[in-house]
Amino acid sequence: MSGQIQPRNTGAITSPGGPRSPMMITPQITPKEILGILRRHIWMIVILTMLFSVLFLGLWFAKKTCWPEYTAVSGIDVLPQGLTDPMEIGQPSINRDVQFQFRNTKAEMLKSPGTLEEFIKLDTIQDLAWYKQFHKSRWKRFSGPILSLFTKNGNGNENGEGHDEADQAKAVIRALKDLQKNLSIVAQRDATYIRVAMTCSGSKGKQECAEVVNRLIDMFYQQEDGRAKADFRARITQLNKQQGDLQKEITDLDRELDRFRRQAPIAQIANLGGNQFRDFLDEKLGNLETDVSRLEGEVKRFSSLLESARRRAEGEYDEVVRELIERDPVATTMRQRIALLEVQQAEMLARFGENHTRVMEIRNSLRQAREDLAYRQNEIGDIERKRIYIVTNDEVAASMEELTSRQEELRKSREEHAVLSGIRDQYDRTYVKREDRQQLLQSINTQIEKVKALIDDPELSKIKPMLRAIPPRERSAPNLLFYLSMGIFFGLALGVGLAFAIEMLNDLVRTPSDVMRHLHVPLLGMICHAEDDHDLEGIDLYHVVRQAPYSVTSECYRQLRTNLKLSGTVDTQKVLLVTSAGPGDGKTSVALNMTTTFVADDQKVLLIDANFRRPTTSLSQLREAENGTDSHPDFGLSNYLMGQCQEEQSIIRSSGIEDFDIVDAGPLPANPGELLGSDRMMKLLDYARTAYDYVVLDGPPLLVSDAKTLAAIADGTVLVFNAATTKRGAAQRALRELRAINANVIGTVLMGVKTMKGGYFEEMFRTYQKYQQVPVRPAV
């Protein structure tokens, strides 16, 4: 039952206070609903849990008695990866991730099918009972005489060797599968070993599981040790071959160096050793380069002197020539005489004047002296320049001869330098190559010594067996706690799964959550199932409100009335149609009891039985007795709609309850749908709206078209669903059809709701019954 009004999303009738926000339940299941499902099916869950617990305990006991399992554990210590240099002191740094990857690689090699198959084929393993259990084929136990008929078939000889080989191969395959299933080989990340564990079943499994582990570890150690030694021997062979090749190459290079020394153009260096030859070549080339530089400098100096002498002979006097002229004694005497004449001329000019004869003579003498001096100076300058030029030219000629000789010597030195440079380059390349090969040969010799020192190392394979596995003291399986927990888990999981499957596969509209989740329509009220309300024993369900007013069901109808009143005003919701998705959903009970609750609320109500196809016979029980006779009109709704009576009052009768009138259905007409949608029906409803507070139409189910006709003309439609019979698809289809004709669906009523553990009704029943109890007052 819902204690609140839940208006529709679209087209909902509003209350005077304005529109209400819709209260919709999300599609996800809530924790409260999950708890309710578990409480409703708690006994099924408990029984299945107990059943599976007992079943798994039985399996545990059977396996413990007939086929116990024993597990032996040992390990293989994995040493750090890489070669350990015996000539170095200290431990190299170890990368933990790299070492774990190395251990994991070893573990994968150990549990590879090839290694396991080779292990199975060992004679010591095939003698164990563990292997013999796979060697005997089941068909061979029953094929005895028949097998002898096929011994001569080309696949084996008369003794059945072909069948033995086939059986042997099948036994190996079965043993390999058993190893892959029961053998555990795990590389430990935080330790330096590989954990090896083997599980064997049966009476002899306690001893043989340890044998399998120990022999597997021994075989793997021998394989890895042999493989490592074979790799080292192959490496020594390869190093020896490289050593011989290098020695041969070094001998060839020594011969080539000797050939370079013999081919040298200087005889005295032909027999020098390697380093002396290189040093002599460097010294010789250095001297030649020094001579070439010196001769080039002298040639440049002589050329400069010759050019300077030529300029001095052809050009103006330079400082040297002027200095020689100044030091000439004749020129000095002539300069003194000129100075004396200049003095005399000055005295004569002062004494006799410019045009005096004596002055003129002195002036002429002075001019002549100056000309003589200039001539003398030119003569001396020319002589000196010619002398210097001749001397210089002689020196240049001598220098040119020496320069020519030096240039020839320079050319020869350069040619010799080029030859010696080529020889030296070839000699250097060959010498460097020879030194590289010598160093490589020394490195290979060192490696050979190291490998020979490591080949006898017991840790060469990088694995080392740990303590040998011992027969286990206790069985590893079956484990009582494991089987018991698995029984409880599977039983609990199956019980919970079945509980949710039962709930999820049930497509009935049973709870308010179903209405909100799947139908998306307001729920006006819920009517509890008659079996859950003990106050309804012997009560007619059509008249619950009148006959059992203090029952929970009556309270549900009163809450339905309250929700209807709060869903809209009286002026807008006077004509109410009560219909259902299918027949037998309880719409007539809802219509009668809802009408009774309206009457009890001082409302004048008219109930019209509009179900022509199946009229409500219980309405005939509501008649007013007058003078000992029944006062019942002769006409019903169909008579009025077909025009057999004209007045509305002729079809309205009293129910025997004040303010509660009834219109019976009347005889079944040929066209009920057309009559219900006629103008006379509209006229009757208009009259009822003015004369009554509420008009309730008890209509047919939506299986027929009559209900849609009534829904189209009614002010509001109340759709009744039965929790025991109405399926979700039918309810959704009914709502879809009403919305298709724009019917005003006010809400729905859920009939026949049973109490569920953890549900609303269970708590409401308990609280309501406790509330209804009259407290006993103590006597005063």
Side-chain angles (χ1 to χ4, degrees):
M1 183 179 66
S2 175
Q4 302 183 44
I5 300 299
Q6 300 170 355
R8 305 186 311 163
N9 288 334
T10 306
I13 299 176
T14 59
S15 62
R20 303 174 187 265
S21 59
M23 296 179 60
M24 308 304 293
I25 298 179
T26 57
Q28 290 79 11
I29 188 169
T30 62
K32 184 177 180 181
E33 292 175 342
I34 294 175
L35 184 60
I37 292 173
L38 297 178
R39 292 183 62 182
R40 287 193 292 273
H41 300 279
I42 186 64
W43 284 112
M44 181 186 68
I45 296 174
V46 171
I47 291 172
L48 285 175
T49 303
M50 294 178 62
L51 180 62
F52 270 81
S53 299
V54 173
L55 177 61
F56 273 77
L57 284 176
L59 292 176
W60 168 80
F61 183 77
K63 187 171 180 62
K64 172 187 174 183
T65 305
C66 303
W67 202 250
E69 294 182 358
Y70 298 92
T71 301
V73 181
S74 184
I76 300 175
D77 193 11
V78 181
L79 303 177
Q81 185 181 11
L83 293 177
T84 303
D85 193 346
M87 300 180 182
E88 293 182 0
I89 301 176
Q91 295 293 333
S93 59
I94 299 175
N95 189 315
R96 299 184 62 182
D97 293 334
V98 174
Q99 286 304 117
F100 172 70
Q101 185 65 32
F102 180 62
R103 289 195 298 274
N104 195 48
T105 303
K106 292 293 184 181
E108 293 296 330
M109 292 174 59
L110 179 56
K111 63 183 177 182
S112 64
T115 303
L116 296 180
E117 185 174 354
E118 185 177 353
F119 169 71
I120 293 170
K121 293 180 180 180
L122 294 176
D123 294 337
T124 56
I125 296 301
Q126 294 186 358
D127 292 337
L128 296 177
W130 169 79
Y131 175 76
K132 292 179 180 179
Q133 65 178 337
F134 308 112
H135 193 273
K136 295 179 180 180
S137 303
R138 295 180 180 178
W139 66 271
K140 198 171 183 180
R141 300 176 185 175
F142 307 99
S143 61
I146 301 176
L147 182 63
S148 61
L149 299 177
F150 301 95
T151 55
K152 299 180 180 180
N153 53 6
N155 296 326
N157 54 22
E158 296 181 357
N159 296 326
E161 294 180 359
H163 294 287
D164 292 340
E165 293 178 359
D167 185 53
Q168 179 74 11
K170 293 179 181 178
V172 171
I173 294 175
R174 287 190 288 269
L176 179 60
K177 291 182 179 179
D178 185 78
L179 277 180
Q180 291 175 342
K181 177 182 178 182
N182 297 317
L183 181 64
S184 174
I185 301 174
V186 180
Q188 304 297 313
R189 175 174 285 277
D190 298 328
T192 60
Y193 66 92
I194 299 173
R195 182 181 181 273
V196 182
M198 178 62 187
T199 301
C200 294
S201 304
S203 59
K204 296 184 179 181
K206 187 173 183 180
Q207 297 292 333
E208 294 197 346
C209 60
E211 288 292 329
V212 171
V213 171
N214 291 329
R215 294 179 184 182
L216 177 61
I217 293 176
D218 292 342
M219 186 203 74
F220 185 67
Y221 175 74
Q222 293 174 3
Q223 285 182 345
E224 290 297 304
D225 187 67
R227 185 182 298 112
K229 288 183 178 179
D231 293 341
F232 271 66
R233 293 190 185 96
R235 187 170 184 180
I236 289 177
T237 303
Q238 183 181 5
L239 290 175
N240 288 331
K241 183 178 180 302
Q242 293 179 358
Q243 183 186 42
D245 294 340
L246 286 175
Q247 288 177 346
K248 181 180 179 182
E249 187 175 0
I250 290 173
T251 302
D252 294 339
L253 291 174
D254 288 337
R255 292 174 181 173
E256 188 172 357
L257 291 176
D258 292 339
R259 181 175 59 84
F260 284 140
R261 288 193 291 270
R262 289 193 299 270
Q263 291 178 354
I266 304 174
Q268 58 268 29
I269 68 173
N271 296 322
L272 294 177
N275 291 329
Q276 295 177 351
F277 179 77
R278 289 166 52 84
D279 295 340
F280 184 83
L281 288 178
D282 292 337
E283 184 180 357
K284 182 66 176 177
L285 289 175
N287 293 334
L288 289 176
E289 289 176 354
T290 302
D291 291 342
V292 169
S293 299
R294 181 179 59 79
L295 290 174
E296 288 178 349
E298 290 181 358
V299 169
K300 290 181 179 179
R301 183 175 63 82
F302 287 147
S303 298
S304 176
L305 290 175
L306 183 60
E307 181 64 22
S308 176
R310 186 182 61 78
R311 289 197 303 271
R312 185 178 297 166
E314 297 177 357
E316 298 292 335
Y317 297 151
D318 54 7
E319 295 297 331
V320 176
V321 176
R322 289 193 182 92
E323 185 177 357
L324 292 174
I325 294 173
E326 292 294 333
R327 291 201 301 266
D328 183 39
V330 176
T332 301
T333 303
M334 294 178 72
R335 282 194 292 273
Q336 292 175 356
R337 183 174 180 275
I338 290 173
L340 181 61
L341 290 175
E342 289 178 350
V343 172
Q344 292 178 0
Q345 182 182 4
E347 291 178 356
M348 291 298 172
L349 284 174
R351 182 184 299 178
F352 300 110
E354 180 72 23
N355 296 320
H356 192 268
T357 306
R358 187 66 177 169
V359 172
M360 294 295 293
E361 289 178 355
I362 293 173
R363 183 180 297 167
N364 291 332
S365 298
L366 181 60
R367 182 174 64 252
Q368 184 64 39
R370 288 176 178 172
E371 290 178 358
D372 293 341
L373 177 60
Y375 178 79
R376 178 63 183 177
Q377 287 178 344
N378 290 335
E379 184 180 11
I380 293 173
D382 291 340
I383 293 171
E384 188 63 25
R385 284 193 302 183
K386 288 180 181 180
R387 185 187 63 79
I388 293 173
Y389 180 77
I390 293 171
V391 172
T392 303
N393 194 19
D394 293 340
E395 292 178 354
V396 169
S399 298
M400 288 302 294
E401 291 180 0
E402 185 179 1
L403 177 62
T404 302
S405 175
R406 292 295 185 179
Q407 285 179 342
E408 180 65 22
E409 185 179 356
L410 177 62
R411 182 184 63 78
K412 292 180 180 180
S413 297
R414 285 177 175 173
E415 291 178 356
E416 183 179 356
H417 185 277
V419 172
L420 292 179
S421 296
I423 293 175
R424 188 187 66 175
D425 292 340
Q426 294 179 4
Y427 187 88
D428 288 344
R429 288 195 297 269
T430 305
Y431 187 80
V432 170
K433 186 175 181 181
R434 193 258 184 197
E435 292 297 320
D436 293 340
R437 296 300 183 271
Q438 185 65 35
Q439 293 179 1
L440 183 59
L441 178 61
Q442 293 177 359
S443 175
I444 290 177
N445 292 334
T446 304
Q447 292 183 27
I448 291 174
E449 294 300 325
K450 290 181 179 180
V451 172
K452 287 181 178 180
L454 290 172
I455 198 169
D456 297 327
D457 189 357
E459 299 179 353
L460 180 63
S461 60
K462 297 303 176 184
I463 63 173
K464 182 172 62 175
M466 300 176 65
L467 296 176
R468 299 186 67 81
I470 59 176
R473 296 180 180 179
E474 298 180 355
R475 64 180 181 275
S476 59
N479 185 276
L480 176 60
L481 182 60
F482 174 76
Y483 272 75
L484 182 60
S485 60
M486 290 301 294
I488 295 174
F489 172 76
F490 279 106
L492 188 62
L494 181 60
V496 173
L498 284 178
F500 278 91
I502 292 172
E503 294 289 335
M504 296 298 107
L505 294 177
N506 192 334
D507 62 345
L508 296 176
V509 182
R510 299 180 301 163
T511 62
S513 299
D514 294 335
V515 175
M516 296 296 101
R517 183 180 293 113
H518 303 290
L519 304 181
H520 306 288
V521 65
L523 182 63
L524 298 175
M526 296 186 298
I527 312 301
C528 64
H529 199 278
E531 297 177 356
D532 295 334
D533 192 353
H534 301 293
D535 295 332
L536 299 185
E537 295 181 0
I539 300 298
D540 187 1
L541 297 181
Y542 291 111
H543 309 290
V544 171
V545 177
R546 288 194 306 110
Q547 298 177 7
Y550 298 108
S551 64
V552 177
T553 306
S554 298
E555 184 63 27
C556 293
Y557 281 116
R558 284 191 285 272
Q559 291 197 14
L560 169 62
R561 174 203 62 194
T562 302
N563 291 340
L564 274 173
K565 290 180 64 177
L566 294 177
S567 64
T569 62
V570 177
D571 296 335
T572 58
Q573 290 185 0
K574 282 195 171 185
V575 180
L576 301 176
L577 170 65
V578 181
T579 182
S580 62
D585 288 343
K587 61 178 181 56
T588 301
S589 297
V590 173
L592 281 170
N593 287 284
M594 184 178 66
T595 303
T596 305
T597 57
F598 279 133
V599 173
D601 196 32
D602 296 331
Q603 303 290 330
K604 189 175 182 181
V605 185
L606 175 64
L607 176 61
I608 301 176
D609 185 2
N611 190 356
F612 293 138
R613 303 172 189 269
R614 188 177 293 180
T616 305
T617 57
S618 61
L619 293 182
S620 61
Q621 300 174 5
L622 295 172
R623 296 181 179 179
E624 180 183 9
E626 186 176 326
N627 298 327
T629 61
D630 294 337
S631 174
H632 187 277
D634 296 330
F635 300 105
L637 178 61
S638 60
N639 301 109
Y640 175 78
L641 296 179
M642 289 186 295
Q644 296 176 1
C645 58
Q646 301 299 323
E647 298 296 331
E648 289 82 3
Q649 294 82 356
S650 60
I651 61 174
I652 299 175
R653 66 177 178 84
S654 176
S655 64
I657 302 173
E658 185 179 0
D659 294 333
F660 183 12
D661 295 336
I662 296 175
V663 175
D664 294 319
L668 177 63
N671 53 346
E674 288 76 5
L675 292 177
L676 291 175
S678 63
D679 294 337
R680 292 187 65 81
M681 185 64 185
M682 299 297 295
K683 180 181 177 183
L684 175 62
L685 295 181
D686 291 338
Y687 169 77
R689 285 190 180 95
T690 59
Y692 296 91
D693 294 322
Y694 283 100
V695 180
V696 179
L697 300 177
D698 183 14
L702 286 170
L703 292 175
V704 295
S705 61
D706 306 358
K708 298 179 183 179
T709 302
L710 292 173
I713 63 177
D715 296 336
T717 301
V718 177
L719 192 57
V720 179
F721 298 137
N722 193 294
T725 58
T726 305
K727 295 186 177 182
R728 297 171 190 169
Q732 292 172 349
R733 182 174 62 253
L735 287 171
R736 187 167 57 250
E737 291 177 354
L738 290 175
R739 287 166 180 164
I741 61 174
N742 295 322
N744 182 19
V745 181
I746 302 175
T748 62
V749 178
L750 193 58
M751 280 289 295
V753 181
K754 291 187 177 182
T755 58
M756 299 180 182
K757 290 185 179 181
Y760 172 76
F761 269 135
E762 182 184 25
E763 182 180 356
M764 190 194 75
F765 280 168
R766 184 172 59 254
T767 305
Y768 186 79
Q769 291 172 359
K770 182 178 179 181
Y771 184 77
Q772 287 293 94
Q773 292 177 357
V774 179
V776 178
R777 298 177 181 271
V780 180

